[in-house]
Amino acid sequence: MTLLAVPNYSEGRDPGVIAELRSELDKDRGVLDRHSDTEHNRTVFTVAGDGRDLADLLASSAEVALRRIDMSRHRGLHPCIGALDVCPLVWLSEEGREKATAQARAVAEGIAALGVPVFLYGELASSDERRERAFFREGGIDALRGRMGAGELMPDLGPAAPHPTGGATLVTARPPLAAFNVELDRPDAAIAQRVAARVRESGGGLPGVRAIGLPLEGRSQVSTNIGDPIAVPLREVVAKVAELAASEGARPVEAEIVGLIPQAALIGFPPGLPIRAFDPDRHVIERRVGGGRRSSSR
């Protein structure tokens, strides 16, 4: 039974580091996708596997990240607290849920053994407040160090303080989500931030959607995670962003998908909005691995 892993590393600029991470993850030829962003300073891999070997690869890649990424020097737009910042295991059907959960815990143990504190979030969280990644990332790694030092925040596994250079790692098991960005034609980041605040669920927007606004060169970006892209397909996010941006005198000009998404998430996507470098044969889960949640095509 195939599982996916979507490890996020806090390095998007150094091709040597990215290549070494890919080499470590691709020992079983399981890397399906790699997305690197220099402004976010982040690289996201999508890796397929079916057993303990996947957990071992992820733990060994964490070792590479510790050796090659120094969080004390990290600068980038994307919120983060660790060299291997986030590492979700993804089930593609309900039958794989238990296996993904077991593998996520195995990954967490392997990372903790390297001296990195691990926090379980999402469905593996020990309390409601720990479900969201933002709870751990608020204020960045310096704030995390202070919270852990004061005994306010304890890890689920590993040491009681961030690794000196590697920080901490967030681990979970989940179904497929969509990491989806919409770029606006205005370079004012405040506009994207106001739009993001009203798009996300916590601001009264779309259910299961998390969003932040970020500055880009000549544009701004509404960066979202869609928790259930079957129930809330990409077209609904685009429509909501367009509606809110219009009140700010802005409009969407380009979109971006990070990693792989379920086919159904693309149903009805507006043809006038380009998706940068998107190839359905490479970026739709069902076309790459099968076993995903089936639905009609776009």
Side-chain angles (χ1 to χ4, degrees):
M1 182 183 299
T2 300
L3 299 176
L4 299 182
V6 191
N8 291 224
Y9 303 89
S10 296
E11 176 57 71
R13 299 170 182 168
D14 188 325
V17 176
I18 295 167
E20 188 170 349
L21 288 167
R22 178 166 193 146
S23 177
E24 192 67 33
L25 290 168
D26 209 25
K27 287 180 176 178
D28 290 337
R29 300 182 183 275
V31 172
L32 302 180
D33 186 68
R34 188 266 297 171
H35 182 280
S36 296
D37 188 294
T38 57
E39 293 184 271
H40 287 232
N41 199 9
R42 192 172 187 86
T43 293
V44 180
F45 288 96
T46 303
V47 187
D50 60 4
R52 178 77 198 194
D53 288 347
L54 182 57
D56 291 342
L57 286 175
L58 293 166
S60 62
S61 78
E63 194 168 4
V64 173
L66 283 180
R67 179 164 42 83
R68 298 298 306 272
I69 300 171
D70 185 347
M71 292 303 296
S72 68
R73 301 178 179 179
H74 182 270
R75 300 292 183 272
L77 293 177
H78 202 289
C80 60
I81 56 170
L84 171 50
D85 188 51
V86 183
C87 191
L89 275 289
V90 179
W91 66 82
L92 301 180
S93 64
E94 194 59 32
E95 291 77 14
R97 183 175 190 153
E98 184 176 344
K99 185 175 183 180
T101 297
Q103 292 304 304
R105 295 189 182 280
V107 170
E109 291 171 1
I111 295 171
L114 299 172
V116 177
V118 177
F119 299 98
L120 301 177
Y121 73 99
E123 295 194 11
L124 302 188
S126 58
S127 66
D128 284 345
E129 67 179 357
R130 294 168 73 106
R131 291 181 65 88
E132 299 294 334
R133 288 162 295 178
F135 172 75
F136 303 102
R137 287 174 170 167
E138 185 176 1
I141 194 168
D142 289 338
L144 177 70
R145 187 174 290 109
R147 292 164 73 191
M148 294 183 75
E152 172 192 339
L153 184 61
M154 299 300 293
D156 293 284
L157 298 95
H163 186 279
T165 58
T169 299
L170 307 177
V171 175
T172 196
R174 60 166 174 78
L177 58 70
F180 179 59
N181 303 325
V182 181
E183 295 183 7
L184 306 178
D185 63 347
R186 296 279 300 279
D188 187 350
I191 292 176
Q193 289 162 1
R194 289 193 292 270
V195 171
R198 296 172 65 192
V199 166
R200 55 181 174 252
E201 180 179 26
S202 63
L206 298 170
V209 173
R210 283 74 176 164
I212 57 175
L214 299 169
L216 295 180
E217 184 68 33
R219 295 180 178 181
S220 57
Q221 182 186 85
V222 180
S223 178
T224 77
N225 276 336
I226 308 166
D228 187 347
I230 308 300
V232 182
L234 304 189
R235 70 173 185 274
E236 294 189 15
V237 177
V238 172
K240 189 67 172 177
V241 169
E243 172 194 340
L244 296 171
S247 67
E248 301 273 0
R251 64 183 180 87
V253 290
E254 193 169 27
E256 180 181 44
I257 293 169
V258 179
L260 276 63
I261 59 167
Q263 183 171 282
L266 289 165
I267 294 174
F269 192 88
L273 185 67
I275 306 175
R276 183 185 308 123
F278 179 72
D279 179 352
D281 288 335
R282 291 184 55 236
H283 297 122
V284 171
I285 290 173
E286 292 88 343
R287 300 194 188 189
R288 296 301 303 275
V289 298
R293 297 161 69 180
R294 303 287 179 175
S295 185
S296 301
S297 62
R298 175 180 172 183

